[in-house]
Amino acid sequence: MIQVTIDDKTLEVEAGTSIVDAAKSAGIFIPTLCHTDFLEPEGACRVCSVEIEQNGRFQVVTACNYPIRGELTVKTASERALATRRTVLEMMLARWPQVKVVRDLAKHLGITEPRFAHPQKNEDPHACILCGLCVRTCREGVWQNVLGFEGRGASRRVVMPYDGVAPECVGCGACAFVCPTGAIQMMDDPNHPADAARIRRAGMVVTKEMVLLDDDQCKMRRAGTAHLVEIMNDYDLLPVNNYRFGSSDDAHKISSPHFVKRFTQNIQDGCALGCDMACAKGSDDFEITTGPDKGKRVCVDGPEYETAGGTTNMGIFDPEWCIEMNYYCDHYGVDTISYCTLMAFVMECYEAGVLNKERTGGLELPFGAADAAMEVLHQMARGEGFGLVAGQGVRRMKKMFVADYGADPDFLNDIGMESKGLEYSEYVTKESLAQQGGYGIALKGAQHDEAWLIFMDMVNKQIPSFADKAEALHYFPMWRTWFGLMGLCKLPWNDVEPTDNAETDEPAKVPKHVAGYCDFVAGMTGQEVTPADLIRMSERVYNFQRIFNLKMGFGQREHDRIPYRSAGPVTATEYESRAERYDKQLAEEVDFDPAGKSTDEKCAALRTWREDRYEKLLDAVYERRGWTANGIPTLTTAKALGIDKMDGLVDLLTANGAAQ
Amino acid sequence: MPKVTLENLEKLAADAEAARAGMRADLCVCVGTGCVSAGSVALVDELKRAVKDQGLDGELKVTPTGCNGFCAHGPIAVIQPEGAFYERLKAKDAPTLIQKHFVDSTPLEDHMYRDPETRELVPLEKDIRFFAKQQTIALRNRGIVDPEDIADAIGRGAYRGLRKVLAEDMAPEALIQMLIRSGLRGRGGGGFPTGVKWQSCCAAAVERSETPYVVCNGDEGDPGAFMDRSIVEADPHAVIEGMIIGAVAVGASEGFVYLRKEYPLALERLYKALDQARAWGLLGDSVMGTDFAFDIIVHQGAGAFVCGESTALMASMEGRAGEPRAKYVHSVEYGYRNRPTVLNNVETWAVVGQILDRGPEWFASIGTGDVSESPWGGSSGTKVFSLVGNVNNTGLVEVPMGITLREIVYDIGGGVPDGRAFKAVQTGGPSGGCLPEGSLDLPVDFDTLQKAGSMMGSGGLIVMDDRTCMVDVARYFIEFLLDESCGKCTPCREGLTCLNEILTRITEGKGRDEDLGLLEDLGAVLKDGALCGLGQTAGNPVLSTLHHFRSEYEAHIRDGKCPAGTCKALIKYTIDPETCTGCTLCARVCPTECISGEKKQLHTIAQDECIQCGTCLDACKDDAVLVE
Ligand SMILES: Cc1cc2nc3c(=O)[nH]c(=O)nc-3n(C[C@H](O)[C@H](O)[C@H](O)COP(=O)(O)O)c2cc1C
Ligand code: SF4
Ligand code: SF4
Ligand code: FES
Ligand code: FES
């Protein structure tokens, strides 16, 4: 801590604190113009000039960017400081006599008329005063870097490249928002929305939060989703060895700092023009060490959390390997989640003796077999060897291994992590019943993007009863479906939240953001909508999709089954690795005294209880959704949603016992 | 080609010198930018041909060299070792020169230097007054060494200082202490002690375990300045050697030279010198056969004055607009790519090798330096100046610190031409100040000039005679600075605009009494309020002229007169009926043909057509043109 005296107040500040910040904390006002909290100070306008004394030396400095690094005395209103400030304002007033911020600041300093004439006098009240806030906001905040200064000295002005309207401008409006004079006007939107200003206001709320809050809350801009690796590991949710475990002592080897140092492209995403969250990351100049592109230096799009989590799920903790795998999956057109989850299954089968070197074409594939796993990926792409087997996915492999190698079907069904034929994404759901439902009921298969309830359920315990969980499993899938309907990304909804979100009635829903989405729809279409209206939109589509699934042979209760590995410990090792947790649950919630019982007995007791709870959850959710006990929307539900007029729908529901 | 090692450097040097000594004479022909544009490349070719034609191949060597400094007299050839000086040579003069000087052993009088005062011929370079008081360190190889031949440079002692550093395996701190003891202060303008700068960089690099950079500032944006260009053109290896030594001191493995693109010849020679240094093992993975690795990359600057400012220079090197940032955290700590960075001027780097070779005490013995109490004590060594303006001998001069302005202007420069009176000397480049007659006996060093309201700057010296209007001089520099201001900060951008406006008004006779106070206020706010050195010193031209020549401002404002007779709006040319002889010369030169009069009759100027260009004034041999 360093001692500073500002005017008559003495205070201690951390080294590096700017004079402006120090003064603010002491309640002393220093005027600023080109400075704002969320940008690197620029020191351009010189309005914040103050006089300092250090080791007997007096000096005028700008308070916004002077870092306090040693003991120092600041005079915010010494004669010299004021003379500088006043003359600066006088110059500005001479050039821009009608601009309000300039007039106000000048007046505050006691200047009403400049003593000199300015050859570039500009009477426009909205003239640009060259503060540079817009340029820096675009560069540092929005990361778009479209605005810049052109011309030296007196001809300096703000432009887009080549003095035109740059196509790279995403129209976020942040520059217009920060401009203190109103010099920047947004152009009419090409889509002709009903109320462009309303959309922009709603958008600006998000932009502002991303720029100001993300570094503290989520680090999406700096690290992307990769920052989840360490969080998931801390909460025992990071899949390790085919979801047996939720954390590993080796996780630090593949945590986000390893990736962040590779991310050189902290730029806006291509996936959504103007998205300030900019979560997509690129690993540049990466040298490939295997396969057809060996020796090439490439740019890899990623990795995302799922790719890193999938890597640990194979017992591999090597970030370089992860990036290479990411590259080849992209290159071959393979989804990294499916690849990782099916490889984890293969590895467990290998360790369990279902597979062996003969059956894998000579590859040794226990957990952690990084080189062999990469080779399988190449074989999948080439359509040869064991790749032909693995490439079929978990569901078909289970059948093949039972038929060809006489494997135990129950065991394979327990550990083969798929539902509706889709491989699980990379979260351990064992301790969150609601999340098990989220994966199991999801229309397109075992995926977390309909509902991500682990924290609400397991960590914050906000949805204890079946009814609570069912409500959450109604609202959130509908809400997330809505993003799909709108073509919007869901991440900005709740990855970064307003600072006062916790004080709202339903923090999990992020009510302020929901209100913003209502503004967005109204601004687009000209029709006012309520949050309930948005959910209604989704319910119609969601129920129709479920009925469509039914028609295609998928939409019944049996299809919402999940492998037991996602609900509890399948093997004795798994149980024992978290024995304390499971024993406690048996004793407290299952009414089964674990003392003196074998692991197998305890496993069985726990399983019965957990499987039963999953069934009860399905009952509760189906009921909440207006579905039959077999998971089919009733005719009443379809009618209420106005989707009953579809050809053959009544017959289909009737045939499936949902005519009521 | 040989690889230079710690062991063989002396031998290589001896070989090169022996080759030269074996010759009867060495014709050193200047191929600096000035002489090249006056045809010296062809001269070199013709001389070589003439030597051959006379069958003197084995006896005479023709060496193209860097700028001699006496550019106005170019193309120049100096015959070594005797030192005979020939000027204004053309390619066609080559055979005659060889014939007369070497075959007939009679000097070629037509091309010898004639003292402008005594009108006597001066055969030897060392006797020419322009050279007499000079002492060269940075430019010691000018006019002697072929800048495109590393062997030649080695023969003259290049890389000896570096060899010492590497052979003795000097610890960085010991090396830095030597620099501090030498009293070397930065030649780029600020006069910051070079050793201290290296020390801070070293400390920052160690503290953050980062590899620092060394950078050479060759931006040289001052109008009329060509010190750095000449050094690079004449002796690029001196700069390279200095940078390698700097790199050893701070632990850098990469260095950069920021050289402006408008210096094609300097760039070409630097690239060649770097290639040769690499080929000879002086740069690269193993410098002089040791395990020290270092290389130098050249950045071409686009020619903005502000890009000479350290932070703007680094921004420009990083590919951003050349705009300065605040230096509250200095670039020795966070410089190029945010790494600790040592930035030194070309001339600073060029003397480092000499300091190591000849010892810091030798360097400190030259000039006014005394670092016994502080590294800021006095100014050691020499300084290169470009001496221009109203002075008989213009050119590039290197003089010991502490020499007086009078010695430079009168002894070296040969005084003010045409018998006119000295009025002021402007030092320090565009944001320096103008010093009057009374300051001529001041010793030239960093602190004295600063105290006198001017500065050393990078070494511009402009001499002005009594026909120079000081208000107009101030306006000229302010206009230049306004043009070159980056425009980032308000005081510089708007302050210079307002200063320019006021000064222009005054020179147009529209000044107001309160203007002088305003000028002072604006000058003060620039000093305190501007972001970078450009703006902070931009008030100097105004403040120093106001201080020393206030009455001249007052004459413009109160009496509507320009005492020097140059502000067009305030002057009127007339012809004195008493002295006009009717020679018609003025009428013949007037571009608007507004002077009329019969031969041998009084001539008159039609005032409404006169554009106050002053051609008649200069032309009239009888001083009959009067300025009011
Ligand atoms: C506007 C401005 C222009 C400058 N131009 C140059 C230049 O052309 N060459 C130079 O060496 N230093 C120049 N400087 C000084 C540099 O910022 C820096 O101090 C110097 O290069 C450091 O080297 P030195 O310590 O060897 O002098 C300039 C400074 C300012 C403020
Ligand atoms: S447009 Fe506005 S924000 Fe941008 S520099 Fe001008 S005044 Fe500042
Ligand atoms: S003082 Fe001038 S050159 Fe320096 S930053 Fe300010 S505007 Fe740019
Ligand atoms: S607010 Fe500090 S310089 Fe503009
Ligand atoms: S260029 Fe030849 S003397 Fe300067």
Side-chain angles (χ1 to χ4, degrees):
Chain A
M1 293 301 255
I2 295 166
Q3 189 171 315
V4 272
T5 306
I6 305 182
D7 296 340
D8 49 358
K9 291 190 187 160
T10 299
L11 61 153
E12 301 231 306
V13 297
E14 245 173 77
T17 309
S18 72
I19 295 180
V20 154
D21 287 344
K24 202 192 268 174
S25 69
I28 296 169
F29 170 74
I30 299 174
T32 55
L33 188 56
C34 71
H35 181 58
T36 173
D37 288 343
F38 67 93
L39 298 174
E40 286 294 311
E42 180 89 333
C45 73
R46 321 305 280 177
V47 165
C48 64
S49 293
V50 296
E51 187 170 2
I52 60 167
E53 190 214 324
Q54 199 166 26
N55 310 322
R57 254 185 85 216
F58 291 85
Q59 198 189 350
V60 174
V61 301
T62 39
C64 65
N65 63 347
Y66 188 93
I68 299 170
R69 300 166 104 205
E71 254 180 56
L72 148 122
T73 307
V74 181
K75 295 263 174 265
T76 64
S78 75
E79 207 175 299
R80 240 175 110 186
L82 278 182
T84 306
R85 231 183 271 164
R86 284 203 182 109
T87 315
V88 163
L89 254 306
E90 205 177 346
M91 292 169 183
M92 298 183 111
L93 194 62
R95 183 163 177 185
W96 302 294
Q98 302 305 335
V99 171
K100 188 165 180 308
V101 267
V102 172
R103 291 175 70 97
D104 290 352
L105 269 171
K107 202 166 150 206
H108 167 81
L109 290 164
I111 294 159
T112 43
E113 268 304 311
R115 289 170 294 164
F116 32 76
H118 197 297
Q120 291 162 287
K121 183 171 177 180
N122 180 347
E123 302 269 6
D124 183 355
H126 301 297
C128 165
I129 56 170
L130 302 172
C131 68
L133 282 171
C134 55
V135 174
R136 285 180 290 141
T137 299
C138 189
R139 182 176 64 216
E140 292 171 28
V142 187
W143 289 4
Q144 203 62 10
N145 232 336
V146 183
L147 293 174
F149 284 109
E150 184 266 349
R152 256 194 338 233
S155 48
R156 185 178 181 87
R157 63 203 179 96
V158 174
V159 291
M160 285 187 184
Y162 307 109
D163 225 353
V165 177
E168 291 77 13
C169 169
V170 296
C172 72
C175 55
F177 182 79
V178 296
C179 177
T181 74
I184 300 180
Q185 292 300 314
M186 299 298 292
M187 301 204 314
D188 213 5
D189 293 51
N191 287 341
H192 305 298
D195 184 349
R198 188 166 176 187
I199 299 173
R200 256 187 248 123
R201 273 197 305 275
M204 189 53 60
V205 172
V206 181
T207 300
K208 211 171 147 188
E209 285 172 4
M210 287 308 157
V211 171
L212 301 185
L213 305 175
D214 177 60
D215 278 358
D216 294 331
Q217 289 189 10
C218 221
K219 299 200 178 50
M220 278 294 196
R221 284 156 62 93
R222 308 273 158 209
T225 54
H227 77 281
L228 288 170
V229 173
E230 46 270 33
I231 300 177
M232 291 306 131
N233 190 58
D234 289 349
Y235 284 99
D236 208 22
L237 298 168
L238 179 74
V240 174
N241 294 4
N242 197 28
Y243 304 90
R244 277 188 205 162
F245 316 116
S247 61
S248 163
D249 290 344
D250 290 326
H252 66 93
K253 294 183 191 159
I254 193 169
S255 57
S256 64
H258 296 286
F259 297 118
V260 171
K261 70 167 188 263
R262 285 224 163 264
F263 294 153
T264 50
Q265 300 193 9
N266 271 348
I267 50 176
Q268 279 210 336
D269 293 358
C271 67
L273 199 61
C275 172
D276 293 298
M277 177 165 260
C279 65
K281 299 290 169 247
S283 308
D284 263 337
D285 200 27
F286 182 84
E287 189 172 341
I288 297 296
T289 60
T290 68
D293 286 347
K294 183 173 174 174
K296 274 195 195 163
R297 304 191 81 91
V298 299
C299 171
V300 186
D301 181 359
E304 299 284 340
Y305 161 73
E306 304 288 337
T307 309
T311 302
T312 61
N313 204 11
M314 289 178 261
I316 299 169
F317 296 89
D318 177 354
E320 306 280 312
W321 186 92
C322 171
I323 296 173
E324 178 145 346
M325 175 267 285
N326 190 145
Y327 172 77
Y328 273 118
C329 281
D330 290 353
H331 191 67
Y332 295 147
V334 174
D335 155 42
T336 55
I337 298 179
S338 297
Y339 163 75
C340 293
T341 300
L342 72 84
M343 275 313 298
F345 171 72
V346 164
M347 288 170 163
E348 185 157 1
C349 287
Y350 191 93
E351 292 203 342
V354 174
L355 291 173
N356 53 37
K357 263 172 92 166
E358 233 166 77
R359 293 171 180 170
T360 63
L363 294 170
E364 288 186 46
L365 279 165
F367 286 114
D371 293 348
M374 191 72 79
E375 178 54 24
V376 174
L377 180 57
H378 295 313
Q379 289 182 0
M380 275 166 59
R382 293 199 300 266
E384 62 183 49
F386 184 66
L388 277 175
V389 177
Q392 315 246 354
V394 172
R395 175 165 280 202
R396 291 205 194 146
M397 272 195 283
K398 286 194 292 194
K399 287 208 182 91
M400 289 160 74
F401 296 168
V402 172
D404 300 348
Y405 308 136
D408 171 7
D410 290 342
F411 175 65
L412 293 195
N413 280 331
D414 281 352
I415 65 156
M417 295 291 281
E418 56 88 11
S419 166
K420 299 188 179 72
L422 185 75
E423 281 75 12
Y424 262 61
S425 62
E426 311 300 335
Y427 296 98
V428 172
T429 56
K430 278 177 216 173
E431 307 312 320
S432 166
L433 178 61
Q435 191 61 50
Q436 292 159 26
Y439 271 76
I441 308 169
L443 290 171
K444 74 173 169 213
Q447 255 288 2
H448 59 282
D449 72 4
E450 273 194 12
W452 203 90
L453 303 172
I454 298 186
F455 271 55
M456 265 179 97
D457 189 25
M458 176 190 116
V459 180
N460 302 331
K461 309 216 184 307
Q462 287 162 322
I463 40 175
S465 69
F466 284 109
D468 296 335
K469 292 186 209 296
E471 181 56 37
L473 278 170
H474 179 66
Y475 179 82
F476 289 100
M478 296 311 140
W479 176 235
R480 285 170 171 241
T481 295
W482 184 81
F483 288 95
L485 301 186
M486 293 294 127
L488 293 175
C489 168
K490 160 266 147 191
L491 298 187
W493 156 57
N494 74 340
D495 279 34
V496 173
E497 295 169 346
T499 43
D500 59 357
N501 191 48
E503 284 118 58
T504 56
D505 290 345
E506 292 177 293
K509 293 185 179 174
V510 201
K512 285 200 175 167
H513 284 184
V514 175
Y517 288 113
C518 290
D519 279 331
F520 167 74
V521 173
M524 255 328 160
T525 63
Q527 266 185 331
E528 294 301 324
V529 287
T530 64
D533 293 336
L534 305 186
I535 296 299
R536 195 69 169 173
M537 294 177 196
S538 290
E539 281 178 320
R540 293 157 56 89
V541 174
Y542 194 95
N543 278 277
F544 173 71
Q545 286 175 331
R546 181 76 178 185
I547 295 167
F548 185 86
N549 271 5
L550 177 70
K551 188 171 176 201
M552 303 308 289
F554 280 96
Q556 301 185 41
R557 187 175 185 118
E558 61 172 303
H559 302 112
D560 294 343
R561 275 204 54 219
I562 53 173
Y564 183 62
R565 174 63 59 75
S566 67
V570 173
T571 60
T573 348
E574 267 171 278
Y575 188 101
E576 277 155 15
S577 74
R578 305 283 186 271
E580 202 182 320
R581 176 194 296 162
Y582 296 138
D583 283 353
K584 187 164 172 252
Q585 199 172 52
L586 283 175
E588 289 176 6
E589 296 181 52
V590 186
D591 205 14
F592 176 92
D593 183 5
K597 303 288 189 329
S598 74
T599 304
D600 284 346
E601 287 168 315
K602 291 193 286 188
C603 255
L606 190 66
R607 180 169 188 151
T608 313
W609 182 72
R610 286 194 174 199
E611 285 184 337
D612 177 53
R613 278 169 50 90
Y614 184 74
E615 295 304 324
K616 288 197 173 108
L617 178 76
L618 290 187
D619 289 341
V621 173
Y622 293 166
E623 191 184 331
R624 169 63 185 88
R625 290 183 178 180
W627 294 358
T628 67
N630 193 27
I632 299 169
T634 63
L635 195 53
T636 318
T637 303
K639 277 191 175 142
L641 295 172
I643 56 171
D644 57 318
K645 300 286 183 290
M646 231 105 36
D647 252 6
L649 185 128
V650 176
D651 292 344
L652 181 67
L653 294 188
T654 310
N656 281 284
Q660 68 271 38
Chain B
M1 80 220 25
K3 288 275 178 205
V4 182
T5 64
L6 298 178
E7 293 74 32
N8 71 3
L9 181 74
E10 286 306 322
K11 167 115 190 2
L12 288 170
D15 291 351
E17 273 313 88
R20 194 195 276 254
M23 294 290 211
R24 174 174 154 204
D26 190 355
L27 281 88
C28 296
V29 185
C30 172
V31 288
T33 292
C35 291
V36 165
S37 55
S40 71
V41 172
L43 175 63
V44 170
D45 292 343
E46 286 308 310
L47 281 172
K48 284 184 178 162
R49 190 198 306 263
V51 167
K52 211 169 181 182
D53 289 349
Q54 298 280 1
L56 296 170
D57 296 42
E59 294 175 47
L60 300 182
K61 181 171 181 275
V62 180
T63 304
T65 73
C67 168
N68 239 299
F70 212 18
C71 311
H73 294 254
I76 286 169
V78 181
I79 294 161
Q80 302 291 7
E82 67 199 84
F85 182 90
Y86 289 107
E87 61 175 33
R88 301 182 213 275
L89 291 164
K90 295 272 168 254
K92 66 174 171 40
D93 302 323
T96 333
L97 177 68
I98 301 295
Q99 175 70 33
K100 289 200 100 170
H101 193 96
F102 293 101
V103 182
D104 308 345
S105 296
T106 49
L108 182 65
E109 290 195 2
D110 291 357
H111 290 279
M112 278 167 64
Y113 175 78
R114 193 179 285 282
D115 189 289
E117 263 170 38
T118 63
R119 307 303 304 155
E120 274 174 24
L121 290 174
V122 187
L124 297 183
E125 183 183 49
K126 68 176 173 50
D127 298 328
I128 297 173
R129 293 212 315 192
F130 179 74
F131 295 101
K133 285 206 167 176
Q134 293 198 44
Q135 182 174 0
T136 56
I137 300 176
L139 292 171
R140 72 192 178 98
N141 280 333
R142 72 172 186 193
I144 306 176
V145 156
D146 180 354
E148 301 192 8
D149 182 0
I150 189 173
D152 211 23
I154 287 177
R156 292 285 169 169
Y159 299 105
R160 252 195 340 236
L162 173 64
R163 186 196 162 273
K164 201 173 201 171
V165 170
L166 294 175
E168 294 176 16
D169 206 6
M170 272 184 210
E173 185 52 29
L175 188 46
I176 285 167
Q177 284 307 328
M178 285 176 80
L179 258 290
I180 293 179
R181 282 211 309 282
S182 77
L184 175 62
R185 292 172 66 176
R187 269 39 177 164
F192 194 89
T194 306
V196 176
K197 186 186 281 187
W198 294 11
Q199 200 168 37
S200 319
C201 177
C202 235
V206 168
E207 189 188 319
R208 306 212 306 276
S209 340
E210 277 183 316
T211 309
Y213 294 114
V214 292
V215 180
C216 171
N217 189 342
D219 185 58
E220 198 164 52
D222 312 24
F226 58 112
M227 295 73 68
D228 296 344
R229 187 192 76 203
S230 268
I231 295 173
V232 176
E233 283 177 5
D235 200 2
H237 290 288
V239 178
I240 298 172
E241 179 182 5
M243 289 180 72
I244 306 177
I245 294 173
V248 174
V250 300
S253 55
E254 259 180 302
F256 299 87
V257 180
Y258 189 92
L259 196 60
R260 57 172 44 216
K261 197 169 167 63
E262 294 98 316
Y263 286 178
L265 190 60
L267 279 165
E268 186 188 323
R269 297 216 172 125
L270 181 61
Y271 282 121
K272 276 193 188 154
L274 288 170
D275 283 346
Q276 291 181 4
R278 280 183 206 112
W280 285 53
L282 289 153
L283 289 173
D285 291 340
S286 164
V287 174
M288 288 185 116
T290 66
D291 54 11
F292 181 68
F294 179 69
D295 210 338
I296 294 175
I297 292 163
V298 179
H299 267 271
Q300 300 193 15
F305 175 59
V306 72
C307 282
E309 196 278 341
S310 52
T311 57
L313 181 141
M314 289 172 204
S316 155
M317 279 177 38
E318 287 168 6
R320 293 181 285 120
E323 281 173 15
R325 63 153 173 81
K327 290 214 282 195
Y328 301 139
V329 176
H330 206 275
S331 52
V332 289
E333 279 184 68
Y334 291 90
Y336 181 50
R337 295 175 178 156
N338 262 335
R339 300 237 202 116
T341 305
V342 160
L343 174 75
N344 278 124
N345 169 255
V346 169
E347 189 182 335
T348 315
W349 288 120
V351 300
V352 167
Q354 286 292 295
I355 292 176
L356 268 294
D357 185 25
R358 306 179 70 168
E361 284 68 30
W362 159 78
F363 191 80
S365 73
I366 303 162
T368 63
D370 172 13
V371 289
S372 53
E373 295 195 350
S374 137
W376 275 262
S379 308
S380 301
T382 55
K383 175 79 193 89
V384 181
F385 289 97
S386 73
L387 180 61
V388 295
N390 306 125
V391 59
N392 275 311
N393 301 330
T394 58
L396 208 63
V397 302
E398 183 170 356
V399 289
M401 294 278 193
I403 191 171
T404 63
L405 283 167
R406 189 181 300 281
E407 284 173 284
I408 299 180
V409 175
Y410 286 95
D411 297 350
I412 296 176
V416 180
D418 305 329
R420 303 214 64 98
F422 170 91
K423 182 167 188 181
V425 56
Q426 207 269 358
T427 77
S431 35
C434 294
L435 300 174
E437 173 92 44
S439 305
L440 274 181
D441 291 309
L442 291 179
V444 173
D445 66 38
F446 289 109
D447 310 311
T448 312
L449 288 180
Q450 178 117 30
K451 254 181 247 144
S454 183
M455 59 187 198
M456 180 84 91
S458 50
L461 273 181
I462 306 174
V463 181
M464 301 167 189
D465 69 13
D466 58 351
R467 275 200 302 200
T468 317
C469 168
M470 300 315 284
V471 183
D472 195 47
V473 164
R475 191 202 54 75
Y476 168 81
F477 284 117
I478 293 299
E479 195 181 6
F480 171 84
L481 291 165
L482 174 59
D483 217 35
E484 294 293 331
S485 155
C486 80
K488 175 170 168 173
C489 72
T490 315
C492 180
R493 185 185 64 234
E494 309 302 344
L496 286 170
T497 303
C498 294
L499 278 175
N500 189 39
E501 168 86 0
I502 296 171
L503 290 168
T504 306
R505 223 174 50 221
I506 297 178
T507 57
E508 287 170 349
K510 298 178 199 145
R512 298 191 279 264
D513 273 344
E514 64 271 23
D515 282 348
L516 298 187
L518 270 180
L519 291 175
E520 275 161 345
D521 278 4
L522 288 168
V525 88
L526 273 166
K527 187 177 264 167
D528 274 351
L531 191 159
C532 84
L534 189 153
Q536 285 157 8
T537 54
N540 283 350
V542 179
L543 296 176
S544 73
T545 48
L546 256 179
H547 180 68
H548 294 297
F549 304 93
R550 196 178 186 92
S551 61
E552 213 168 317
Y553 280 85
E554 288 166 351
H556 282 76
I557 295 173
R558 296 192 189 141
D559 316 331
K561 288 222 159 70
C562 172
T566 51
C567 290
K568 287 183 184 165
L570 300 183
I571 54 170
K572 195 167 138 196
Y573 289 103
T574 53
I575 296 176
D576 182 6
E578 307 286 303
T579 31
C580 174
T581 59
C583 74
T584 73
L585 197 55
C586 57
R588 277 184 275 143
V589 294
C590 174
T592 62
E593 299 177 357
C594 70
I595 305 181
S596 53
E598 294 298 313
K599 212 168 176 182
K600 302 235 166 89
Q601 301 287 312
L602 170 65
H603 280 52
T604 47
I605 300 177
Q607 290 303 331
D608 45 355
E609 282 169 60
C610 170
I611 56 166
Q612 286 90 20
C613 69
T615 311
C616 54
L617 178 76
D618 292 335
C620 181
K621 296 208 166 68
D622 303 299
D623 285 344
V625 179
L626 304 177
V627 193
E628 283 172 22

